[in-house]
Amino acid sequence: MNILIVGGGGREHALAWKASTCDNVAAVFVAPGNAGTERAAGMENVPIAADNIEALRDFAKNRQIALTIVGPEVPLVAGIVDTFQRAGLRIFGPTAGAAQLEGSKSFCKDFLKRHHIPTAGYEVFTDIAKAREYIATHPLPMVVKADGLAAGKGVVIAQSTEEAINATEQMLHEHRFGDAGNTVVIEEFLEGEELSYICMVDGENILPLATSQDHKARDEGDTGPNTGGMGAYSPANGDTPALQQHVMEEIIKPTVAGMNADGNRFSGFLYAGLMISADGNAKVLEFNVRFGDPETQPILMRLESDLVTLCNAAIDGKLDQQSAQWSKQTAIGVVLAAGGYPDAYTSGDVIDGIDAVDPSVQVFHAGTKIQGGDVVTAGGRVLCVTALGDNIRDAHSSAYKAVDKISWEGVFCRRDIGHRAL
Ligand code: AMP
Ligand code: GLY
């Protein structure tokens, strides 16, 4: 069977790597992929952008793709699943209706409120005068969010009233995030420990994946600007069966049932970004309707079950007949980024040392391409070096041993991935 992975980041390299190890898989195509998926045995890049839905559909038809797995949110929100389904193609992911959970923060918040699922108190604004009034009468810090997709950059944690007003004005009036900021959500600041909780959902049944924790801040000690994620490890610190049960009962099950009740049956990876308070209560920060990046990389390193079988069972509404087996080991993924990220960064720098890394470590590519026979940087997050170990210390030491073999002009990473568990 031929598989198509849509996307070109580290998450998609990891999905393609796992899919290529599955039973009865002949070829794994990645659109558009990166240098890692171009060089790997059993994978082939397809020069179609992840949001060119019609071209992807035609490719899937012509090349007899038996299963498509979508990495990024943009094509999901734009309706790639609807288009593929209309063409009779098998694809794992939510429809555009269900993808609104990520595509619109106000949709998500209103959904959570309507179904009594715990989340921060909030209000939705399109009018600056009303927003100002709310800001003036609510406690600081407060969180200002652009409604639509903003590649992880549309969230401002305002420490002062002035900062909150500025952020709101930039979104509503200066169109800093384009149409994504025509509506803003302003919400209560939550304190606690962040946890990513990712499941596979088939519309009805839920298969929880291993827990993980991302490191969103650029610098060590969780300081500096927010990024797409500088590294992740699995299982997450503080992950207990009791917490998992609490999250499942209070958040995940009511979400899947609520989406069904609203006529937006959810099938796909459901990623709940949660804040766990000191007393152990979980609230939803956001939903993503896809696998996390970089969480996918350490999670899939630990997955012992057949990913393609799980996705096919989900498409057929039979996830209740599946279970996922996990390695007892810990996995850590360290992101190597290009100098300047998350702001403007340089591209085209030659990357050295990838082939010197121990073969038990996976170097998942993200922003890379092949140029004149070299692997060069082509994005902000460039690589995610992912290692397994019998415990967090071993995984940490293997991952950084590999990181230290890789270099290019301006490379940087956080040295403390997994610090909360160490
Ligand atoms: P989001 O894209 O909504 O997950 O927001 C990005 C990041 O901002 C989250 O991972 C949190 O670190 C932080 N954040 C978002 N909403 C809140 C909130 N209500 N309270 C505290 N931190 C938040
Ligand atoms: N790592 C965060 C995300 O994928 O949204």
Side-chain angles (χ1 to χ4, degrees):
M1 126 181 70
N2 290 338
I3 311 285
L4 173 63
I5 308 291
V6 175
R11 165 184 52 211
E12 288 78 22
H13 188 183
L15 285 165
W17 165 74
K18 199 74 206 168
S20 71
T21 67
C22 292
D23 288 342
N24 306 316
V25 170
V28 179
F29 296 95
V30 190
N34 54 40
T37 54
E38 188 168 337
R39 295 205 312 176
M43 294 176 211
E44 195 177 313
N45 282 356
V46 181
I48 303 176
D51 60 358
N52 191 348
I53 292 175
E54 276 72 32
L56 290 168
R57 175 203 55 203
D58 295 345
F59 174 85
K61 281 209 122 169
N62 294 337
R63 298 302 291 263
Q64 272 106 38
I65 298 295
L67 168 68
T68 298
I69 305 173
V70 186
E73 61 276 18
V74 169
L76 291 167
V77 171
I80 190 172
V81 170
D82 311 66
T83 297
F84 271 54
Q85 284 176 348
R86 274 197 300 272
L89 291 160
R90 290 173 69 79
I91 183 165
F92 183 55
T95 59
Q100 290 177 91
L101 260 193
E102 177 168 3
S104 164
K105 294 208 189 270
S106 60
F107 174 94
C108 176
K109 297 292 288 193
D110 292 347
F111 167 85
L112 292 168
K113 190 172 177 182
R114 192 164 59 247
H115 293 282
H116 311 288
I117 300 165
T119 190
Y122 74 103
E123 230 164 279
V124 178
F125 300 96
T126 51
D127 178 75
I128 189 75
K130 294 211 174 91
R132 274 174 180 276
E133 207 176 294
Y134 178 93
I135 291 167
T137 52
H138 283 77
L140 292 162
M142 65 178 75
V143 187
V144 181
K145 300 184 174 184
D147 185 63
L149 294 180
K153 292 183 183 132
V155 175
V156 176
I157 297 174
Q159 303 293 343
S160 68
T161 305
E162 200 186 1
E163 214 183 321
I165 291 172
N166 278 345
T168 309
E169 279 183 341
Q170 281 183 0
M171 290 176 194
L172 286 180
H173 282 176
E174 293 159 33
H175 304 288
R176 173 141 180 245
F177 300 103
D179 288 346
N182 288 347
T183 299
V184 300
V185 171
I186 305 184
E187 70 179 30
E188 167 199 6
F189 178 80
L190 299 175
E191 274 178 275
E193 178 112 356
E194 269 189 79
L195 183 72
S196 312
Y197 195 87
I198 307 172
C199 309
M200 293 177 75
V201 179
D202 70 4
E204 204 81 35
N205 305 294
I206 300 159
L207 182 71
L209 301 180
T211 56
S212 61
Q213 193 170 42
D214 187 12
H215 298 59
K216 287 203 172 133
R218 184 191 60 194
D219 302 326
E220 275 140 38
D222 299 318
T223 57
N226 225 26
T227 70
M230 292 299 295
Y233 67 100
S234 170
N237 186 34
D239 165 29
T240 63
L243 179 59
Q244 287 191 25
Q245 198 190 342
H246 167 71
V247 170
M248 190 57 104
E249 295 303 324
E250 300 300 319
I251 291 169
I252 306 294
K253 282 187 186 169
T255 297
V256 173
M259 290 298 279
N260 252 332
D262 293 352
N264 286 316
R265 187 182 159 84
F266 190 98
S267 173
F269 292 105
L270 179 64
Y271 169 136
L274 304 173
M275 191 67 91
I276 315 294
S277 66
D279 55 5
N281 285 309
K283 287 187 176 176
V284 176
L285 291 174
E286 64 162 347
F287 278 119
N288 296 321
V289 298
R290 38 127 189 121
F291 222 147
D293 189 345
E295 292 93 327
T296 302
Q297 293 86 315
I299 290 177
L300 288 187
M301 282 284 277
R302 294 185 57 223
L303 179 64
E304 289 171 345
S305 306
D306 188 290
L307 177 68
V308 167
T309 300
L310 294 180
C311 291
N312 273 322
I315 291 172
D316 294 331
K318 291 182 175 161
L319 266 186
D320 54 329
Q321 297 168 22
Q322 298 290 328
S323 63
Q325 308 306 319
W326 301 98
S327 157
K328 295 259 181 301
Q329 290 188 298
T330 296
I332 291 191
V334 179
V335 169
L336 301 190
Y341 177 77
D343 299 321
Y345 50 81
T346 56
S347 293
D349 292 305
V350 176
I351 304 171
D352 287 316
I354 293 176
D355 296 329
V357 165
D358 188 282
S360 69
V361 175
Q362 292 294 328
V363 179
F364 294 118
H365 290 230
T368 65
K369 63 177 185 189
I370 295 184
Q371 194 172 282
D374 290 320
V375 177
V376 303
T377 64
R381 293 192 292 174
V382 176
L383 301 171
C384 182
V385 175
T386 311
L388 285 168
D390 287 341
N391 52 50
I392 184 92
R393 253 167 232 294
D394 288 352
H396 190 269
S397 130
S398 301
Y400 282 97
K401 216 176 270 170
V403 163
D404 289 336
K405 296 204 154 84
I406 299 173
S407 63
W408 71 83
E409 184 71 36
V411 54
F412 77 96
C413 68
R414 276 182 60 167
R415 306 289 314 182
D416 66 345
I417 301 305
H419 70 96
R420 282 164 197 271
L422 269 162

